[in-house]
Amino acid sequence: MLTTESFLLNPSWAAGRPAEPRETGDIRDFHSNLPDYAVTPLVSLPTVAEGLGLAAVLVKDESLRLGLPAFKMLGASWAVHRALQSSDRERPRLVTATDGNHGRAVARMAKLTGLPATIVVPQGVSERAIEAIRTEGAEVRVLDLPYDDAVRAAAALADADADALLVQDTSWPGYEDVPQWIVDGYATLFDEAADQAAELGTGVDLIVVPAGVGSLAHAAVTFGRSHPDCRVVSVEPDVADCVRASLAAGTLTTVPTGQTSMAGLNCGTPSYLAWPDLEKGLAGAVVVDEDAATQAVAELGRLGVDAGPCGAASLAALRILAAEPARSCLGLGADSSVLLLSTEGSQASG
């Protein structure tokens, strides 16, 4: 196992696996018919690529996705759509726990479908984020609990209400369908990016994906499996490195969490559903600190990309990955093209 203070090469990862088929056209068609749908920008950063000795650095800018300042609406909308198709409830109440963006996306889908929603919020979430969820018309319950405990509270709330429908973006044994639909919904982001990169005359050799519970990373790994030369590396705050800790241990691992501006990544346990694919499909994991994320926000802003700390973490991670020893481990060179996922704008909820 190769590990440094910031980078871990996944000991379970192996390059050169054959490509696996992936059918996602129906998901993209669904999203294209939602209000405010537009393909989000793919921004080329030639000065960054040159400085890091890479062929291309491309940023998928999710600062405005389906009318909201983060990518989460892709997963929430598809999951609610599929869950309503599968439910026999006439008018369910949507329930979820959130540290910001996911809860607002579920609340927006409730508003679009004319359904009530209850959003459980853990400690540490800003008043701005809470108010943004309330503006969607949802009931918000703020609990003095960490994120993982808030998820358990939301699940208990849903279990106690026969009309409730839990729309959670993490999973556990017996609760896997909705989290899988959320992962599936993120496919649109990657399909768009692949098309846009091809229009620029390049492919994608490495994806750097911010990871909280790992749902977006799960979607990135699924996309990467359909492109055999594409590597995927996760990035987390150094105070909430549950994916890196799990890869190092070779088993699903819970870590304590701390305070971070990267609120959407402040999760202590990877998704049960995501973990088997993350263990095999992630090439590695990086952690970044507050200073690195803050500097990356400022740098992306100067380059014309509106990014919050969670989204900018991908650029902070790339600076670690483009240097040794990670560079050689990942096979990065002057002909490599890197996709950074900037998952939120500066006005996002966290």
Side-chain angles (χ1 to χ4, degrees), residues 7-28:
F7 170 70
L8 169 75
L9 180 68
N10 179 10
S12 298
W13 174 73
R17 290 177 175 158
E20 298 180 11
R22 178 172 167 272
E23 297 294 335
T24 56
D26 56 339
I27 300 170
R28 195 168 181 181

Side-chain angles (χ1 to χ4, degrees), residues 246-316:
S246 296
L247 293 178
T251 189
L252 197 65
T253 299
T254 297
V255 300
T257 59
Q259 292 298 312
T260 174
S261 63
M262 295 169 273
L265 309 181
N266 194 15
C267 305
T269 308
S271 167
Y272 166 84
L273 176 72
W275 168 243
D277 284 335
L278 298 182
E279 182 182 23
K280 296 176 182 177
L282 284 176
V286 174
V287 296
V288 297
D289 61 21
E290 293 297 296
D291 287 344
T294 299
Q295 291 169 17
V297 167
E299 182 175 4
L300 285 172
R302 290 191 297 270
L303 295 169
V305 178
D306 175 34
C310 293
S314 58
L315 176 58

Side-chain angles (χ1 to χ4, degrees):
M1 180 190 306
L2 189 153
T3 184
T4 66
E5 184 177 351
S6 301
F7 170 70
L8 169 75
L9 180 68
N10 179 10
S12 298
W13 174 73
R17 290 177 175 158
E20 298 180 11
R22 178 172 167 272
E23 297 294 335
T24 56
D26 56 339
I27 300 170
R28 195 168 181 181
D29 288 345
F30 167 78
H31 286 138
S32 69
N33 287 303
L34 288 176
D36 298 314
Y37 173 77
V39 175
T40 56
L42 186 70
V43 182
S44 179
L45 304 181
T47 57
V48 174
E50 182 179 2
L52 296 178
L54 301 167
V57 175
L58 309 172
V59 180
K60 186 62 169 165
D61 179 359
E62 294 291 305
S63 60
L64 184 60
R65 171 64 79 173
L66 290 165
L68 295 177
F71 75 103
K72 291 282 190 174
M73 188 63 172
L74 290 171
S77 61
W78 180 249
V80 170
H81 169 69
R82 289 296 310 274
L84 292 177
Q85 284 183 324
S86 304
S87 175
D88 56 4
R89 301 173 181 88
E90 188 170 322
R91 194 171 182 270
R93 171 175 290 274
L94 305 184
V95 176
T96 194
T98 186
D99 43 25
N101 293 320
H102 172 70
R104 188 176 179 188
V106 171
R108 174 65 63 87
M109 275 303 292
K111 182 161 66 173
L112 289 175
T113 53
L115 297 174
T118 297
I119 312 299
V120 177
V121 176
Q123 62 192 19
V125 176
S126 70
E127 285 299 322
R128 185 183 74 177
I130 293 168
E131 186 56 31
I133 297 170
R134 288 195 175 112
T135 63
E136 304 294 340
E139 174 196 12
V140 178
R141 300 190 185 186
V142 182
L143 304 181
D144 188 21
L145 296 170
Y147 175 80
D148 287 2
D149 290 339
V151 170
R152 285 187 277 271
L157 179 65
D159 285 343
D161 182 352
D163 292 324
L165 180 61
L166 185 66
V167 187
Q168 196 61 57
D169 57 348
T170 189
S171 59
W172 49 87
Y175 183 73
E176 300 172 32
D177 287 347
V178 169
Q180 182 63 61
W181 292 329
I182 289 173
V183 171
D184 294 343
Y186 297 148
T188 293
L189 185 160
F190 296 97
D191 290 344
E192 290 177 358
D195 289 349
Q196 291 167 302
E199 290 172 3
L200 295 173
T202 187
V204 177
D205 301 306
L206 172 68
I207 299 173
V208 185
V209 55
V213 296
S215 295
L216 184 62
H218 192 183
V221 165
T222 302
F223 172 83
R225 285 203 306 256
S226 67
H227 297 72
D229 296 324
C230 180
R231 292 155 170 73
V232 181
V233 173
S234 65
V235 56
E236 302 167 285
D238 57 359
V239 298
D241 63 338
C242 63
V243 171
R244 186 179 70 157
S246 296
L247 293 178
T251 189
L252 197 65
T253 299
T254 297
V255 300
T257 59
Q259 292 298 312
T260 174
S261 63
M262 295 169 273
L265 309 181
N266 194 15
C267 305
T269 308
S271 167
Y272 166 84
L273 176 72
W275 168 243
D277 284 335
L278 298 182
E279 182 182 23
K280 296 176 182 177
L282 284 176
V286 174
V287 296
V288 297
D289 61 21
E290 293 297 296
D291 287 344
T294 299
Q295 291 169 17
V297 167
E299 182 175 4
L300 285 172
R302 290 191 297 270
L303 295 169
V305 178
D306 175 34
C310 293
S314 58
L315 176 58
L318 180 59
R319 297 205 170 277
I320 296 167
L321 298 173
E324 297 296 350
R327 185 182 186 92
S328 294
C329 293
L330 298 172
L332 295 178
D335 60 347
S336 298
S337 177
V338 179
L339 173 63
L340 306 180
L341 302 185
S342 183
T343 51
E344 61 173 20
S346 58
Q347 298 304 308
S349 307

